[in-house]
Amino acid sequence: MTAARTQQRESAARSLAAADLDRLRTAVSAALAGFLDRQRDTLAAMDASLTPVVDEVCAVAEGGKRLRPAFAYWGWRGARDEATGEDDAAVLTAVAALEFVHASALVHDDVMDGAQTRRGRPATHVGFARRHSGQELDGDRELFGTGSAILVGDLALVWSDELLRRSGISPAALSRARAVWDTMRTEVTAGQYLDLLRAAGGLPGPDGALKVARYKSAGYTVQRPLQLGAAIAGAGPAVADAYTAVGLPLGEAFQLRDDVLGVFGDPAVTGKSADDDLREGKQTLLIALAAEAAGPDGLRLLDDLLGNADAGPEEFDALRGLLESTGARARVEERITERTALARAAIAEAPIADDARAALDALALAATSRTA
């Protein structure tokens, strides 16, 4: 296939993914909104001061790209039995529960990283610290903000279970889904710890960075959502194995794209400063590869500036220059391309319905070529 034909095909695939995601976003957002409205009434009946807690979960959950529900939905569509399968609306509600798992991870991750913003608004712990000051409450504002964020994240995780259970999928499908669901939530929580450990000097080097990426983000972004959909459909081991072959490389490519955007992305598009990941000292594959290739001056630059809250834009620009000059960025881009190609080849060979194959291929491109 010529380069022009390939580019034309991928452009068409991106258009398909965009249209599909728009439809799914609408359905998922409606499911989340209805659930949160009921929870708002429940908490407000307990005490009016709990309303901001529901509002915060809503704010964190409503800004997502809905990729996880999309992978889960098409994982189901790829393996469903139309004669005896689940109701489409019930499945969309079930996979919407993934957004609460994601919201929980984001809120807790921002606490651990000391992040200041999330999707163009104050991170949850920052917002509640400001609420403490605005209401002139007693005690330490930072501790109040951190404690509130932990509880908001916990509540989102609790609600993920409730929404899945109340989604309307059959008891048999729910029972099958639980095994994948439990594994996924264990992995992402363990991955958060591995991230903390790496930040403290454990799990060094590129291999450590990739292990954190796999368990903290990649698994629950693609592999487990796909397998969740397969479990709801009652698919056999062949489909589950095919989804692993798709999900692991694609989830990794997704996370590596996120790492690149965290340092080189446009803040107007990503909703966060391109300096934040450097200021927070995130030990991504970009950093590990730069450290391997840097000379003494480059290593000193990394030691002095990475994770330095007092560093300014010019100093972080110097760090970005180091990531470019050592070839770290180029190597990460090469890995994104290679892992995406591997995932797309697995999609092409998967024993699934053709419409799901086309949608998953389009989603693979959307997930790894995104700008936010």
Side-chain angles (χ1 to χ4, degrees):
M1 185 179 291
T2 66
R5 285 282 303 280
T6 299
Q7 189 174 32
Q8 187 177 41
R9 180 187 169 198
E10 293 190 353
S11 177
R14 289 191 188 96
S15 296
L16 173 63
D20 179 52
L21 275 175
D22 283 344
R23 183 182 72 85
L24 281 163
R25 282 193 190 105
T26 300
V28 167
S29 295
L32 294 175
F35 179 86
L36 286 166
D37 283 346
R38 292 190 294 274
Q39 297 295 352
R40 184 177 287 105
D41 290 342
T42 298
L43 266 64
M46 295 167 60
D47 194 281
S49 63
L50 289 168
T51 300
V53 175
V54 186
D55 290 343
E56 185 64 21
V57 176
C58 183
V60 176
E62 79 175 0
K65 291 175 280 294
R66 310 305 194 212
L67 284 173
R68 291 161 187 84
F71 280 116
Y73 176 78
W74 283 107
W76 168 71
R77 282 280 297 269
R80 68 174 176 169
D81 183 336
E82 293 192 31
T84 61
E86 304 295 317
D87 176 70
D88 190 87
V91 173
L92 282 166
T93 300
V95 301
L98 288 162
E99 288 298 299
F100 284 143
V101 178
H102 186 43
S104 174
L106 292 180
V107 171
H108 287 164
D109 195 44
D110 286 345
V111 170
M112 289 185 282
D113 289 343
Q116 296 300 298
T117 59
R118 170 66 64 181
R119 293 173 177 163
R121 61 188 296 274
T124 299
H125 62 284
V126 174
F128 275 89
R130 292 178 183 175
R131 184 179 299 277
H132 180 283
S133 296
Q135 295 179 358
E136 298 182 349
L137 300 176
D138 296 334
D140 186 282
R141 68 189 296 272
E142 304 300 334
L143 285 176
F144 179 84
T146 297
S148 298
I150 290 171
L151 294 171
V152 166
D154 288 349
L155 190 58
L157 199 58
V158 169
W159 284 347
S160 72
D161 253 8
E162 185 175 346
L163 183 57
L164 176 65
R165 179 170 52 84
R166 295 189 175 194
S167 62
I169 60 174
S170 69
L174 182 59
S175 178
R176 293 190 300 265
R178 288 298 324 187
V180 178
W181 186 258
D182 292 343
T183 297
M184 176 190 68
R185 297 197 310 158
T186 296
E187 286 177 346
V188 70
T189 305
Q192 292 276 31
Y193 173 76
L194 293 179
D195 190 31
L196 278 178
L197 181 63
R198 179 168 167 78
L203 298 175
D207 288 344
L210 289 172
K211 179 169 286 189
V212 170
R214 174 178 177 177
Y215 289 111
K216 179 184 172 184
S217 178
Y220 94 101
T221 297
V222 186
Q223 180 197 12
R224 300 308 181 193
L226 283 172
Q227 291 181 338
L228 180 69
I232 292 171
V239 174
D241 290 347
Y243 284 162
T244 293
V246 173
L248 288 180
L250 186 56
E252 180 187 306
F254 172 90
Q255 182 55 47
L256 294 180
R257 173 59 62 211
D258 206 51
D259 293 342
V260 171
L261 290 173
V263 178
F264 294 99
D266 180 354
V269 179
T270 64
K272 61 180 289 187
S273 168
D275 295 342
D276 281 356
D277 282 6
L278 300 174
R279 184 177 290 108
E280 293 159 18
K282 287 193 174 181
Q283 296 289 330
T284 64
L285 183 62
L286 275 170
I287 299 301
L289 293 175
E292 274 193 341
D297 290 344
L299 290 174
R300 275 194 297 272
L301 193 69
L302 281 169
D303 288 341
D304 290 346
L305 298 182
L306 186 66
N308 184 345
D310 296 324
E314 290 185 3
E315 291 161 309
F316 288 131
D317 280 343
L319 268 184
R320 272 185 282 271
L322 181 69
L323 298 179
E324 296 271 19
S325 65
T326 56
R329 182 182 183 182
R331 289 175 66 188
V332 170
E333 290 287 356
E334 288 171 5
R335 189 171 181 93
I336 291 171
T337 299
E338 180 266 325
R339 302 302 276 174
T340 303
L342 188 63
R344 294 182 71 194
I347 291 169
E349 297 172 2
I352 58 176
D354 287 342
D355 61 342
R357 191 187 323 281
L360 289 175
D361 189 63
L363 284 169
L365 290 171
T368 56
S369 62
R370 61 200 167 90
T371 57

